[in-house]
Amino acid sequence: YLAHGRGIRRLVALFDSVEELINENDRRYDDSGDEGTTIDEAPHCFSCSQDRLQNGYSYLTKTLPWFLKHCSDMDHDDYMRMLKVLRQGADGARGDDTAKLKTLVSDWVNRELKPDPPVDSDDKNCRGFVCDACGRLLCPAELDWTKPAVRAGIRDRADGHIVTDLSFPAFVYEKYTANADNLEEGLFKGKILLQGYKAIFTSPSSAKDVEGDGDGADVIVNNRRAKRSFCGMKVKKHVRFALSSVTSWRSVDGDFDYILFWRCIVDFFERPPGREARLRVEKLLEWWTRKVFGRSRREDLSNTAKANMSVNALTRQRQQRDDATFDSD
C-alpha cells in the first residue's frame, strides 16, 4: 500500500485526503439512494469543492483499480490501517518531489538567467524575492519585476504589491512574460515549469532539453498519467516552493496559499467556461504531450518505406532463400 500511495499526490489529489474523497462519494451515494437515482443523475447542485472531491474519487478508483474490492473485503481496523499507509506513501512522495526540485530548480535558474551571485543549491534562505532571479520568476504576472518600485513594493508587501494565490507567477508563462490583454496567451508554457514536470514524471536527465519536442509516444492516447496530471498541476506548486525562500513545506507562504493556487489551476482545466475555452485547454494539453513525450510518427510511414526497413527486408530475404532451396531440391 505504501508504494501505491505514492501515486496519489501525483495523479489523484495534491492536498485532499483519501478519506475526504471517499466521504464525498458516500454522501452523494446516500443522497442519490434516497431518490432512487444514480450519483450522476442526482438533481442536487454541488459546489466547486464538492465536484473537485468527486472527481478526485473517480481518479482514485481508476488509479487504484483494486481499491473498491479491497475496501469491501476488509474489516474496519484493516481498512483504517490501509488508509494510513496510503497517506504515508502519498505524503512521502510529495516530500521526495519537493526535495528533488530544490537542487534542480536552482541549477535551471542559474543556467537560464545567470544571476550573480548564482542561486545556492543548498540554501533556500537566499531565494524568494530577496533574489532578483527567483523574484523575477515569482513576480505576479500583472506586475513588471524590472521596475525598482515593483521590486521594493513586493519585498515590503506594500499595497498593490502583495503576492497572493490570486496572481499567476511569471514562471508559468512562456518566456516568463504575460500579455495583459490576453492572459491566457502563453499560460502554462514556462520553460522552468516544463523542466519541473519532466524531472518528476519522466526523469531529471530528460529535463535538460526542453527546447524541441519529446521523443516518446502520444500519451494523450496511451498514457493515463499524462491525462490526469493536466500539464503538471502539482508541478506548478512544487516549482514555486523551490523558488521561494521557505525552508520547510507548509501550505501557506506569507500571503500565498498553495491549496487555493492548486484549486485555481485544477478549475482552469476541469471547469472551462465554454466550448471554445475547452478547445483551448485540449490544445494546451496536446502542446504538453508533444513537448514532454513527443508524437509517434509510425503512421506517417508509407508501405514502401516499411517494406525496405531491415526487419521486413530480412523476413523477405529468408523466405526467398527457403523458396530457392525448395525449388533446387
Side-chain angles (χ1 to χ4, degrees), residues 20-58 271:
E20 290 174 320
L21 305 182
I22 294 173
N23 289 341
E24 175 59 24
N25 185 74
D26 289 346
R27 186 185 65 78
R28 294 194 183 201
Y29 183 83
D30 292 340
D31 289 348
S32 64
D34 292 339
E35 302 176 15
T37 59
T38 66
I39 291 177
D40 294 333
E41 294 170 343
H44 303 290
C45 293
F46 301 111
S47 66
C48 291
S49 60
Q50 290 171 330
D51 283 340
R52 198 179 295 114
L53 289 171
Q54 185 62 26
N55 287 339
Y57 178 82
S58 175
R271 303 175 69 89

Side-chain angles (χ1 to χ4, degrees), residues 7-291:
I8 292 176
R9 293 285 175 251
R10 294 174 175 174
L11 308 179
V12 178
L14 184 56
F15 293 104
D16 302 317
S17 68
V18 174
E19 293 90 333
E20 290 174 320
L21 305 182
I22 294 173
N23 289 341
E24 175 59 24
N25 185 74
D26 289 346
R27 186 185 65 78
R28 294 194 183 201
Y29 183 83
D30 292 340
D31 289 348
S32 64
D34 292 339
E35 302 176 15
T37 59
T38 66
I39 291 177
D40 294 333
E41 294 170 343
H44 303 290
C45 293
F46 301 111
S47 66
C48 291
S49 60
Q50 290 171 330
D51 283 340
R52 198 179 295 114
L53 289 171
Q54 185 62 26
N55 287 339
Y57 178 82
S58 175
Y59 286 116
L60 174 68
T61 56
K62 292 175 182 177
T63 303
L64 305 179
W66 50 263
F67 183 76
L68 289 178
K69 186 178 186 306
H70 280 220
C71 289
S72 61
D73 293 342
M74 287 179 171
D75 60 34
H76 183 264
D77 289 342
D78 288 340
Y79 170 73
M80 295 305 295
R81 277 193 291 270
M82 178 189 71
L83 293 184
K84 180 180 179 180
V85 177
L86 286 174
R87 184 168 58 251
Q88 290 173 341
D91 293 342
R94 182 169 63 189
D96 291 345
D97 291 339
T98 55
K100 178 190 297 183
L101 288 182
K102 175 185 175 182
T103 300
L104 290 174
V105 165
S106 64
D107 182 54
W108 300 334
V109 172
N110 290 335
R111 288 174 180 269
E112 179 150 7
L113 302 183
K114 298 177 174 56
D116 184 20
V119 178
D120 192 322
S121 61
D122 296 319
D123 184 10
K124 287 202 70 188
N125 290 304
C126 67
R127 303 187 191 184
F129 291 109
V130 299
C131 169
D132 277 342
C134 293
R136 174 189 169 186
L137 298 173
L138 292 170
C139 181
E142 64 271 20
L143 300 178
D144 184 354
W145 180 256
T146 63
K147 296 181 178 180
V150 170
R151 296 197 297 270
I154 289 176
R155 288 165 176 163
D156 294 338
R157 298 168 75 176
D159 186 33
H161 297 83
I162 297 176
V163 180
T164 74
D165 46 86
L166 294 175
S167 296
F168 285 114
F171 75 81
V172 303
Y173 278 94
E174 187 174 17
K175 298 181 180 179
Y176 313 130
T177 303
N179 179 356
D181 297 323
N182 182 8
L183 288 171
E184 196 171 350
E185 180 183 334
L187 182 61
F188 303 135
K189 291 186 176 182
K191 180 179 178 180
I192 199 170
L193 180 61
L194 185 59
Q195 288 176 300
Y197 183 98
K198 295 187 74 170
I200 290 177
F201 284 92
T202 55
S203 70
S205 59
S206 69
K208 294 179 181 179
D209 182 16
V210 294
E211 296 301 333
D213 293 346
D215 56 3
D218 185 348
V219 292
I220 286 293
V221 176
N222 297 320
N223 196 300
R224 240 179 359 187
R225 178 176 62 187
K227 290 180 183 178
R228 174 53 187 157
S229 60
F230 286 147
C231 83
M233 288 186 285
K234 68 161 280 178
V235 176
K236 298 171 183 61
K237 184 274 295 182
H238 283 336
V239 172
R240 191 193 187 281
F241 175 74
L243 289 168
S244 75
S245 58
V246 177
T247 55
S248 60
W249 165 249
R250 55 176 180 262
S251 61
V252 177
D253 174 10
D255 302 297
F256 192 97
D257 190 315
Y258 282 99
I259 297 178
L260 295 181
F261 179 55
W262 174 70
R263 288 175 179 172
C264 173
I265 296 170
V266 172
D267 290 344
F268 175 88
F269 288 97
E270 294 188 345
R271 303 175 69 89
R275 179 177 177 275
E276 292 301 317
R278 166 55 65 187
L279 291 176
R280 291 194 298 273
V281 166
E282 293 297 333
K283 187 175 180 180
L284 177 60
L285 290 174
E286 290 176 2
W287 181 89
W288 270 81
T289 297
R290 187 174 67 254
K291 296 297 289 186

Side-chain angles (χ1 to χ4, degrees), residues 310-329:
S310 56
V311 171
N312 290 329
L314 173 61
T315 301
R316 187 168 61 251
Q317 291 170 3
R318 295 178 72 191
Q319 184 64 53
Q320 290 171 348
R321 289 178 180 174
D322 279 1
D323 291 345
T325 301
F326 179 78
D327 292 342
S328 64
D329 291 342

